[in-house]
Structures are given as C-alpha cells and as structure tokens.
Amino acid sequence: MDFNMKKLASDAGIFFTRAVQFTEEKFGQAEKTELDAHFENLLARADSTKNWTERILRQTEVLLQPNPSARVEEFLYEKLDRKVPSRVTNGELLAQYMAEAASELGPGTPYGKTLIKVSEAEKRLGAAERDFIHTASLSFLTPLRNFLEGDWKTISKERRLLQNRRLDLDACKARLKKAKAAEAKATTVPDFQETRPRNYILSASASALWNDEVDKAEQELRVAQTEFDRQAEVTRLLLEGISSTHVNHLRCLHEFVKSQTTYYAQCYRHMLDLQKQLGRFPGTFVGTTEPASPPLSSTSPTTTAATMPVAPTGAGLAPPEETALCLEEVAPPASGTRKARVLYDYEAADSSELALLADELITVYSLPGMDPDWLIGERGNKKGKVPVTYLELLS
C-alpha cells in the first residue's frame, strides 16, 4: 500500500510539473524545445493523411449507403462484433414491386410483359449493386478503417508520449538553469568590511547545497534528454511509415476504381440488353392488346432468323441475308482502320452485326454516313457492325 501511495504521489508530482511547464510555455515564460523541420513536416503530413482519410471514408460510406439510418445500424453491428444482416437493395425492391404489379395487372398484356422484362433487369442491377458494395467495402473501406483504428491510434499514443518527454526535458532544463543561477549568486565573494564572519559559513554551506542541486539537475537532464531522443526516434519511424500507408491506400484506390468500373459496365450492359428487348416489342409502345409478332427474346437471334419468314422488302428494308451480303461486299478503306480490344461479350441481334467476345482483338473502321455509335468490325473472314461502347480503340 505504501508503494502504491508513493507511486501515486510521484505520478501526481510529474503531472503537476508538466502542467506548470505547459502553462508557462503558453504564456511565453518558459523555453520550449523545438523539433527539427523534417520532423515537423512528418507530423503535418501525418495529420493531413488522417484528416483526409476520415473524409474520404465517410463520403464513400455515403456513396455506398445513402440511408443514414442504415449506416448507423451497420456501425452498431460492427461495434458489437455482430454480422450485419443482409439488406435488400433499392433495385431489387423495385424489381419485386414490378413483378407483383405484372402478376396482378396481367402478365399477358403488353404492359405486364414489359413490367416483367424491366423487373428482371432491375433485379440484375440490384444484384450488381450488392456485389459492388461488398467488393468496395472489403477492398477500400476496410483498409482505410484499419488505418484509422490501428496505425493512427499507435501514432497518436507515441506522439502524446513524445510530448510528455519534451515537457519533462524542458522542465529539467529550467530547473538546471535556476540551480546554476542560485549557485552563482551563493558563490559571490562578500565584502569583508560589511559582512560578519558568521555569514562566511552560511555562504559556504549554501554554495555546497546549490552545487549538489546543480549536479542532481544535470543528471536528471541527461536522463530526460536520453528518453526524449529515444521517443523521438520511435515516433519518427512511425511517421515515416505514412509513406507505406499512402502506397497501400493507392493500391486500394485502384481496386475501388476497378470494382466501380465493373459495376457500371454491368449496369450499362444490363440496360442495353433491356433496351434491345423492349425494342423488339413494337406492340408495347403503341398500346395494342396483342403484339404484332412473337417476342424475339423467347428464342435466340439465330433461331429466330432461321424459323421466321422474311418480311417483304417493298418497304425498303433489306432482309438479314441481303444486309450481310452488302457488308461482305464493302471493302475496308485504304487508311483509317484501327485495332480495338473488346471490353464485354456482345451477342449479335441479327446477321448484320458481329458477335464479340471479351478481350479479343478485332479490326474496325467507319464508313461514310454510318451511325457514329457503330463501326464495321472484322475478325478473320467475318464482318459486321459492332457497337462503339463495347470497344477500346487502340493506337
């Protein structure tokens, strides 16, 4: 019990000394040990990294989950170390409503058929959004959160310890300075005509006491300087590790961009397919009770072309066979052809289009009067129209 009381009294004394030193520094009544410029730059960069990481983390959470109540709920589950329950995305909920509406309003009507098609697309969009949120959380949010809750807490702890060591060092410097000033005053030679002999003894005794005090203060200063230098080196190493943190966050940022690119590419592909399917239902848009022709989506484009009769060409539209023939007869320009890499798989809607496989290389070029959203693509002896949005043009 005595030992604990002594330790408590010692800690209280150290705390009081640091508080006095800190207060005097604030009022300009005490000198302060300044850190070197490189160390100050490391501190400023670490603070800036922490502040911007917090902002990026919070805003990314808003991007992935705009609902603040849902974010609070997920935060509480994480703090309680419990699994976050699966949440239905807005796209999946909309798909559910559309499917129920189609079932009630009549799945055989043009409106009901369209609702079913759109609900299927919205469901795929919702699933893509769920995958994107999961991937972004693991590859981007988790590393940022680990830095704030792990590395930064360690850095902050060591910085506070360094601040305490600096206060102890400056307090020892002030104590030594006062002891030397008192020793110099005590060792001043008195005037023999105005000083009694008894004062010589008192002066010599005081000089010896202050000499011991100076020796003790110097010893404490050496110990404080050693502890400060050691703590400064530990803190410096942690602050220099911020560069590795930047490299790690850069890699995570690339992963986030990759997952976001994949997500939006999937959304674009799903909506493009939906638009093509809706375009094959002319009766849906004119309000007829029965579609003018069987839905092409029920069969593949190849099967449809083989089984359905070809419409007369009197309206000025050539059948698929003639369209393909015309494309085969078109010669590529002497200059202006380019190589292109296919970004996503593409299923040809008819024989005038060229089916594509992701990551394959094809030759593309444009013809006068063509739609700017399409190009002519060649792969071996096959030729057909290809959408520009599915290609990455190479130099």
Side-chain angles (χ1 to χ4, degrees):
M1 185 63 181
D2 293 339
F3 173 79
N4 291 336
M5 290 299 296
K6 291 180 179 179
K7 185 176 184 302
L8 181 62
S10 176
D11 292 342
I14 293 175
F15 177 79
F16 179 75
T17 302
R18 292 171 179 172
V20 171
Q21 177 65 27
F22 182 79
T23 303
E24 291 180 349
E25 289 177 358
K26 289 298 182 181
F27 286 98
Q29 299 175 357
E31 296 181 359
K32 176 182 177 181
T33 300
E34 299 293 342
L35 302 172
D36 59 86
H38 177 63
F39 201 97
E40 292 289 352
N41 290 334
L42 291 177
L43 290 174
R45 187 177 66 158
D47 290 334
S48 180
T49 300
K50 180 255 184 182
N51 294 333
W52 283 111
T53 300
E54 285 182 335
R55 295 182 183 180
I56 293 173
L57 175 64
R58 287 196 299 266
Q59 192 57 38
T60 306
E61 290 175 344
V62 173
L63 173 67
L64 298 180
Q65 179 51 264
N67 188 346
S69 300
R71 293 200 303 271
V72 172
E73 181 181 353
E74 293 174 358
F75 174 78
L76 293 177
Y77 273 103
E78 291 177 359
K79 290 302 179 182
L80 296 175
D81 292 332
R82 298 178 59 182
K83 183 179 179 181
V84 180
S86 179
R87 190 184 303 276
V88 178
T89 63
N90 294 328
E92 292 173 330
L93 188 59
L94 177 60
Q96 178 183 346
Y97 290 164
M98 286 185 172
E100 294 176 356
S103 177
E104 183 173 346
L105 298 177
T109 64
Y111 183 43
K113 291 181 179 180
T114 304
L115 280 174
I116 293 175
K117 288 296 181 181
V118 176
S119 68
E120 293 173 354
E122 293 295 337
K123 186 176 181 179
R124 290 193 292 268
L125 291 177
E129 181 184 1
R130 184 190 301 275
D131 294 339
F132 167 60
I133 293 175
H134 178 71
T135 304
S137 298
L138 290 180
S139 62
F140 189 61
L141 291 184
T142 299
L144 297 185
R145 195 176 289 114
N146 290 340
F147 165 72
L148 294 174
E149 297 178 356
D151 295 347
W152 182 253
K153 286 187 176 180
T154 302
I155 293 174
S156 300
K157 178 182 177 182
E158 297 299 330
R159 287 178 65 176
R160 289 193 298 268
L161 190 57
L162 177 63
Q163 174 73 357
N164 293 336
R165 293 288 182 264
R166 186 197 62 76
L167 291 173
D168 294 341
L169 176 62
D170 290 338
C172 289
K173 289 180 179 180
R175 192 179 303 117
L176 177 61
K177 184 177 180 180
K178 293 178 181 179
K180 286 185 175 181
E183 181 189 27
K185 184 177 181 180
T187 56
T188 302
V189 180
D191 190 351
F192 289 96
Q193 297 179 356
E194 298 180 359
T195 307
R196 299 178 182 180
R198 179 172 176 272
N199 291 342
Y200 290 112
I201 300 176
L202 296 176
S203 177
S205 177
S207 177
L209 290 175
W210 283 114
N211 190 25
D212 293 340
E213 186 67 21
V214 168
D215 293 340
K216 181 180 178 181
E218 289 178 346
Q219 177 63 25
E220 292 178 351
L221 178 60
R222 285 192 292 270
V223 173
Q225 185 69 53
T226 301
E227 293 180 350
F228 173 78
D229 293 340
R230 184 185 300 112
Q231 185 59 37
E233 184 63 23
V234 171
T235 308
R236 184 192 302 273
L237 291 176
L238 290 175
L239 293 175
E240 289 175 349
I242 293 294
S243 298
S244 301
T245 300
H246 287 180
V247 173
N248 183 40
H249 288 183
L250 175 62
R251 179 184 59 81
C252 296
L253 185 60
H254 280 282
E255 293 294 330
F256 175 71
V257 172
K258 180 180 179 181
S259 63
Q260 199 170 26
T261 303
T262 302
Y263 167 62
Y264 286 117
Q266 290 176 345
C267 292
Y268 175 79
R269 186 165 62 250
H270 293 328
M271 296 309 297
L272 191 64
D273 293 341
L274 175 63
Q275 190 178 32
K276 288 182 178 180
Q277 293 176 11
L278 296 182
R280 297 170 185 173
F281 289 92
T284 303
F285 300 99
V286 298
T288 57
T289 57
E290 294 295 333
S293 60
L296 299 184
S297 59
S298 60
T299 57
S300 63
T302 305
T303 306
T304 303
T307 57
M308 291 186 63
V310 178
T313 58
L317 298 176
E321 292 79 7
E322 292 186 13
T323 304
L325 181 61
C326 294
L327 288 176
E328 292 296 336
E329 293 176 352
V330 172
S335 61
T337 60
R338 299 180 64 178
K339 290 292 184 180
R341 185 175 69 88
V342 179
L343 299 177
Y344 326 107
D345 294 344
Y346 177 74
E347 183 180 358
D350 52 48
S351 58
S352 67
E353 298 180 2
L354 180 66
L356 303 175
L357 295 177
D359 296 328
E360 70 173 337
L361 293 178
I362 62 174
T363 301
V364 296
Y365 54 88
S366 177
L367 296 177
M370 279 192 64
D371 188 337
D373 293 334
W374 293 83
L375 293 173
I376 301 298
E378 289 187 0
R379 181 180 60 242
N381 58 351
K382 295 183 178 180
K383 182 187 303 184
K385 296 189 299 181
V386 292
V388 176
T389 52
Y390 278 70
L391 304 175
E392 177 186 2
L393 298 179
L394 306 178
S395 57

